[in-house]
Amino acid sequence: MWVPQLNAFNQPVYLSIADALERDIASGQLKPGERLPTLRELAQGLQVTPGTVSRAYGEAQRRGLLQGEVGRGTYVRATPRAEPPAPESLVRPASLSAEPRVLDLSIIKPAGDTASTWLRGALVELANGTDFAQSLDYAPDGGHPAHREAGAQWLRHSLPEATWQQVVITAGAQHGLLVAISALTESNDLILCESLCYPGIISLAHSLQRRLRGVEMDEEGIIPASLRELCQRERPAMLVCVATCQNPTTATMSHRRRAEIAAIAEEFDFLILDDDIYGFLAADTTLRPLASYAPERSVYLTSLSKSVLPALRIGYLYSPPRLLSRLTAMVRSSVWMPSPLTAQLASNIIAQGLDQRLVQLQRDEAAKRQALARELLPGLKIKAEPHSYHLWLELPEPWSADEFATLARAQGVKVLSGSQFQAQRSGGSRGVRVVLMSPTREDELRFALTQLASLVGVADPRRFY
């Protein structure tokens, strides 16, 4: 079996393997048509991971040194030739110590180029505004009334009757989750969520010593019958739920499903934390938030980080009056206060109507990228909403999600395996989350999706090993 001599230690191992391949092919030690070791064999010989070897073979293929044949393995190319070029942004840097760029389809965020031009003007107006001095000082509990009124204005697109007195400002949606779970539940309480859920909920529940249980899902999200059955066995304190463009599956609850979930919360007397961070992306604009079906036992959470800009770390909790003091006290205990400067910037954006212009721009951009995904992923089993930032790709047998995510990264594309979203680790997953808004340019997204489609098309993933 061919085992390379790795001479360079000032660069990633996969590049050293690719360089050794190039050197041994040039010297004649490896002949045209010669079969190379499998990923697993060479990984064991070099004491590295199969993913490292896969990445090395991928780099050698990019250089035109190797070719893969489905079901047969990887061979030295008989007539070396260059592969079609990747986008310029993916070409390996001249410095051998630098990693090639990976296209990151793992982080859900709005398209940044659209918002940055608008926000430059908003920042100038903030500095010149009459409220600038106030935004540099301490804020009262819950936030300045003017900032809370701006939050209520944002909320009224979903909750028309929202009043500023019931708004609590947080330092983003993740902080809002922390505040609500910490303030409204106790150590060892049972918290329910979707069986596949946002990983931030999992980490929060564990760090706060809450018991987390996932509820079975279908194409609309949490199944009411499964929720009821679980409540009959145990007594939950809270349900954390994403009812619109759920992360990671993109499931969206119908009007009827939301009413059923709210009725079960009433029957079994638990709180609902309605994480509506993607509510503005709903295809059905008549959908009401889950919280509106049980307003006296629901806390509604939203933020501007997904609709405007990730750096705008301002979130809004909307709470029944009886829970407000507990939430504001937890904000004070956790961060003392969210930045009044950022809250003022958010308030200016909302007051000028810039938030709604940006929302429409993001929805339009997401729709274009979803159309591109449908074009480049034909015949694959995907779940998506027309305006969602991401899609859920269900892999055919014999793929596993972890295996696919590892090999995709070796090909220069980062996606998240479904196993990272499991509320309880219970076996493998065949789903991966693919984010469409992260690459700035369309050619980068096109390249990344083409790579994923080619990888899914491999009938036997074992050939990589």
Side-chain angles (χ1 to χ4, degrees), residues 132-166:
F132 185 61
Q134 172 183 275
S135 64
L136 301 179
D137 203 351
Y138 283 97
D141 285 351
H144 284 297
H147 298 165
R148 294 166 71 185
E149 172 55 37
Q153 184 177 334
W154 167 259
L155 290 168
R156 288 183 195 120
H157 296 287
S158 302
L159 299 171
E161 305 302 321
T163 61
W164 72 266
Q165 291 91 343
Q166 291 176 243

Side-chain angles (χ1 to χ4, degrees), residues 399-421:
W399 281 107
S400 73
D402 289 341
E403 183 177 50
F404 184 86
T406 297
L407 293 174
R409 174 136 193 173
Q411 300 300 315
V413 183
K414 183 180 179 181
V415 295
L416 289 188
S417 163
S419 64
Q420 298 190 43
F421 300 94

Side-chain angles (χ1 to χ4, degrees), residues 1-4 13-21 30 34-43 46 50-68 73-77 83 407 410-411 463-465:
M1 182 182 78
W2 175 77
V3 177
V13 175
Y14 81 94
L15 285 179
S16 296
I17 297 172
D19 289 346
L21 272 166
L30 285 172
E34 186 171 341
R35 187 179 186 276
L36 291 174
T38 67
L39 301 189
R40 195 179 301 279
E41 288 170 342
L42 189 54
L46 294 175
T52 297
V53 180
S54 173
R55 198 170 183 186
Y57 281 5
E59 171 64 17
Q61 283 183 308
R62 193 189 69 80
R63 300 182 192 182
L65 303 172
L66 307 179
Q67 62 185 15
T74 304
Y75 294 80
V76 177
R77 191 183 291 278
E83 291 290 327
L407 293 174
Q411 300 300 315
R463 80 176 183 86
F464 287 100
Y465 296 94

Side-chain angles (χ1 to χ4, degrees), residues 11 19 30 100 171 212 225 259 287 307 349 352 458:
Q11 64 179 354
D19 289 346
L30 285 172
L212 188 69
L287 283 174
S307 56
I349 289 170
Q352 295 164 11
V458 175

Side-chain angles (χ1 to χ4, degrees), residues 329-391:
M330 187 54 63
V331 170
R332 185 171 61 250
S333 297
S334 56
V335 297
W336 189 261
M337 64 177 183
S339 166
L341 189 63
T342 309
Q344 184 64 52
L345 175 60
S347 299
N348 290 354
I349 289 170
I350 292 169
Q352 295 164 11
L354 179 56
D355 59 327
Q356 294 309 302
R357 293 199 291 273
L358 290 172
V359 162
Q360 190 57 53
L361 287 170
Q362 298 297 348
R363 283 172 59 90
D364 293 346
E365 182 65 25
K368 285 170 47 182
R369 295 185 179 223
Q370 288 288 349
L372 182 63
R374 290 193 296 273
E375 172 193 333
L376 298 176
L377 304 175
L380 301 184
K381 189 175 182 181
I382 62 175
K383 295 180 180 178
E385 288 287 308
H387 304 283
S388 60
Y389 287 177
H390 67 287
L391 60 83

